[in-house]
Amino acid sequence: MKKALLSLIMLAIMLLSLLSCTQTPELPYLTEQPETIIETKEKASYTYAPDVEDSANNSMNPAVLVLDDVPSSYDGGLYFQTSWMLYKLDKETGEMNEMCKDPLCKHNTKACPFYGLHREFGFYVYDNKIIYMRGRERSDLRGESNKILLYDIKNGSFGVLHEYPVDSNILKVNHSFHGGEMYFHEKKINPDYEKDQSLPRFSYAFTKVDLSTFEKTVLDISDYQKVTVVGGDENKIYYIDLLNNKNICIANNRNFDDVSVLIDDRSAHFFISNDRMFYVSSETGNLTSRKLDGSDKKDLGISDPYRIYITDKYIYYRPKTGFTLTSAEHKKTVSVSVSNEIYRCTHDGKNVELIYQAYNGEPIKRGEVIYIPTSLYVFEGYFYSTFVEFSLKDDGTIGQDSSRNSTGPYSYMRVNCNTGEMYIIEMPEI
């Protein structure tokens, strides 16, 4: 009897406990709890709006000249580089994903495909492969040769595409890619220079690599860098002759043994799009357009552009004209040598639009940040750029910070070319 009574008492206690647990606390109890603040990064938004038209009739294709401060696009993806890793951007979320697929890799030995990544060389994505350079800047790589590596995106394997001699210096410019081929110069020390200093100290081997067979062909050896490839088709290659006053030239075959000057006008900037060429004329300083046979010359009226990027529909450019930043709290100003604005126009130089303006001339207030683009790359209706940012310091003067520091990762600004909406893409730290 006592056991039965004890069991009933225990059952009653359990029921009361369950009821108390399921009751909703009164409102004052909830409001008495301290508020928890969670800091969240601004969410990225993405609208697909490419500047691409039907280019089936476009027989000429531009070459890609790899640079250290611009991304590379391939198969709808966008890839970025830091001093130690290559990343693929998730366009919808704004997050970066490492290209090294080993989850246990610490990226600090030569077993990592991207260890010793030579940032100034740039990189190129082609046929599910990434081509980049492993330099000898890191202490454990000194004494080794610089190597151009090829990484297979699908299976994660990598190997050496080209190895420079130990006594050779790489040139961070003039690595260009076109039509499944890579073109570059290899700077070599003349072994006879120490004996006879009247001889050239260096020689430059202009080399072509077939990216399907990996066959290498030395096209020319001279005392100077000679060629920057800018585009062509199966039979012709358009290029800038760096030796002969930067003339725009044409090679009538891909081995460069039948060449001629197309335009006798010095230009360090040369682009091909929709069967026309675009270049900055040394005669006028203006962006100029011609047909690919050199005829139909048109001055587009864009004076001395600092950065240029051409899509199927537009010419994007940044003027070279500088401006002055003013503090709202201090008399001191900061002069910036290049423009804070990005424009675009149609290929005839008309329909000019201002798509980005970092500074409207008003004095900078505390808490305000001015983002000045330093590069230019356009992809699917957005422009991407490294940047310099300006803001007020504690003493009210204007301070400067760069997204391109030498030890840390790059950061990039992404701007919608149609709405002006900006998002900062921050590179992960390893």
Side-chain angles (χ1 to χ4, degrees):
M1 183 69 178
K2 289 183 178 179
K3 289 184 177 179
L5 182 60
L6 183 60
S7 298
L8 288 171
I9 293 171
M10 293 297 294
L11 180 60
I13 293 172
M14 291 174 63
L15 289 171
L16 288 171
S17 299
L18 288 171
L19 287 171
S20 65
C21 290
T22 57
Q23 288 178 344
T24 303
E26 295 181 3
L27 188 59
Y29 172 78
L30 294 177
T31 57
E32 289 173 358
Q33 301 305 305
E35 182 181 3
T36 301
I37 299 175
I38 301 175
E39 294 185 0
T40 58
K41 190 177 186 294
E42 180 186 356
K43 187 177 180 181
S45 62
Y46 197 81
T47 304
Y48 179 75
D51 292 343
V52 178
E53 295 178 334
D54 180 8
S55 56
N57 297 321
N58 185 6
S59 60
M60 293 293 168
N61 298 307
V64 176
L65 181 64
V66 294
L67 300 169
D68 66 322
D69 58 356
V70 297
S72 179
S73 59
Y74 173 74
D75 196 24
L78 199 59
Y79 297 79
F80 292 78
Q81 176 185 20
T82 68
S83 295
W84 49 76
M85 185 52 59
L86 282 168
Y87 295 90
K88 184 176 181 181
L89 173 68
D90 186 321
K91 296 177 292 187
E92 306 295 334
T93 66
E95 299 297 322
M96 291 288 183
N97 299 309
E98 295 175 4
M99 290 308 299
C100 178
K101 302 302 183 185
D102 184 352
L104 301 179
C105 183
K106 295 182 179 179
H107 319 300
N108 58 0
T109 69
K110 288 185 285 186
C112 176
F114 303 106
Y115 180 71
L117 190 66
H118 196 295
R119 191 169 71 178
E120 289 188 344
F121 173 79
F123 69 101
Y124 179 63
V125 189
Y126 170 80
D127 192 24
N128 278 309
K129 296 176 179 62
I130 303 175
I131 299 164
Y132 57 102
M133 175 167 285
R134 172 176 284 173
R136 53 184 180 222
E137 282 71 26
R138 294 182 184 268
S139 58
D140 59 335
L141 294 177
R142 289 172 188 162
E144 297 190 13
S145 59
N146 292 304
K147 299 177 179 67
I148 299 177
L149 302 184
L150 186 145
Y151 175 81
D152 192 300
I153 296 174
K154 289 185 175 180
N155 61 32
S157 63
F158 68 104
V160 177
L161 181 61
H162 178 74
E163 183 169 358
Y164 288 86
V166 174
D167 62 352
S168 172
N169 293 323
I170 64 118
L171 304 172
K172 72 175 184 177
V173 295
N174 300 335
H175 291 83
S176 52
F177 298 83
H178 179 264
E181 294 172 335
M182 176 174 70
Y183 297 88
F184 64 96
H185 288 84
E186 184 174 322
K187 182 179 179 181
K188 297 183 177 182
I189 298 174
N190 186 342
D192 297 324
Y193 175 76
E194 294 299 328
K195 299 176 184 178
D196 184 358
Q197 295 190 5
S198 66
L199 297 173
R201 186 173 182 179
F202 302 105
S203 66
Y204 297 84
F206 180 50
T207 304
K208 176 180 74 173
V209 179
D210 187 311
L211 297 178
S212 297
T213 65
F214 308 129
E215 178 183 359
K216 283 179 280 192
T217 305
V218 176
L219 302 174
D220 182 75
I221 297 178
S222 65
D223 300 339
Y224 302 91
Q225 303 175 56
K226 289 189 68 174
V227 173
T228 296
V229 174
V230 293
D233 60 11
E234 292 182 355
N235 302 310
K236 298 182 179 66
I237 291 287
Y238 292 83
Y239 66 96
I240 297 174
D241 189 330
L242 301 174
L243 178 61
N244 296 311
N245 296 319
K246 297 183 179 179
N247 288 329
I248 295 172
C249 302
I250 184 171
N252 291 309
N253 59 57
R254 301 178 79 87
N255 288 323
F256 285 81
D257 54 12
D258 179 13
V259 301
S260 59
V261 175
L262 186 63
I263 300 173
D264 185 11
D265 188 351
R266 296 177 63 250
S267 180
H269 305 284
F270 180 29
F271 311 88
I272 288 178
S273 181
N274 289 348
D275 290 338
R276 290 191 72 88
M277 64 177 70
F278 301 84
Y279 64 97
V280 178
S281 172
S282 62
E283 298 173 353
T284 64
N286 289 353
L287 187 63
T288 304
S289 169
R290 293 178 186 250
K291 290 183 178 179
L292 290 177
D293 61 3
S295 65
D296 192 27
K297 180 180 177 181
K298 294 181 179 180
D299 187 328
L300 302 185
I302 301 172
S303 178
D304 199 20
Y306 178 66
R307 287 276 189 167
I308 305 170
Y309 193 92
I310 300 181
T311 67
D312 285 358
K313 291 176 66 175
Y314 297 109
I315 300 169
Y316 292 80
Y317 62 96
R318 177 185 176 196
K320 211 168 187 177
T321 307
F323 65 103
T324 300
L325 290 165
T326 305
S327 168
E329 301 180 11
H330 204 284
K331 292 183 179 180
K332 290 186 177 180
T333 60
V334 171
S335 296
V336 183
S337 59
V338 291
S339 175
N340 71 100
E341 299 170 333
I342 302 290
Y343 292 87
R344 73 179 178 189
C345 64
T346 47
H347 284 192
D348 56 5
K350 299 177 181 178
N351 305 303
V352 177
E353 298 176 77
L354 174 65
I355 63 169
Y356 179 78
Q357 183 182 53
Y359 184 58
N360 61 9
E362 295 294 323
I364 302 176
K365 299 176 182 178
R366 192 164 296 277
E368 185 179 4
V369 180
I370 306 297
Y371 295 95
I372 309 297
T374 55
S375 56
L376 183 59
Y377 186 88
V378 182
F379 181 67
E380 294 185 350
Y382 290 80
F383 85 75
Y384 295 79
S385 177
T386 48
F387 57 87
V388 175
E389 58 182 79
F390 293 90
S391 59
L392 293 191
K393 296 190 293 186
D394 291 341
D395 63 358
T397 59
I398 300 172
Q400 173 182 336
D401 190 19
S402 174
S403 74
R404 292 191 58 195
N405 56 77
S406 59
T407 56
Y410 283 4
S411 294
Y412 285 84
M413 57 189 295
R414 179 176 78 185
V415 176
N416 187 311
C417 296
N418 298 309
T419 67
E421 178 187 17
M422 185 177 71
Y423 180 77
I424 300 298
I425 300 171
E426 296 180 357
M427 290 297 189
E429 294 192 33
I430 296 176

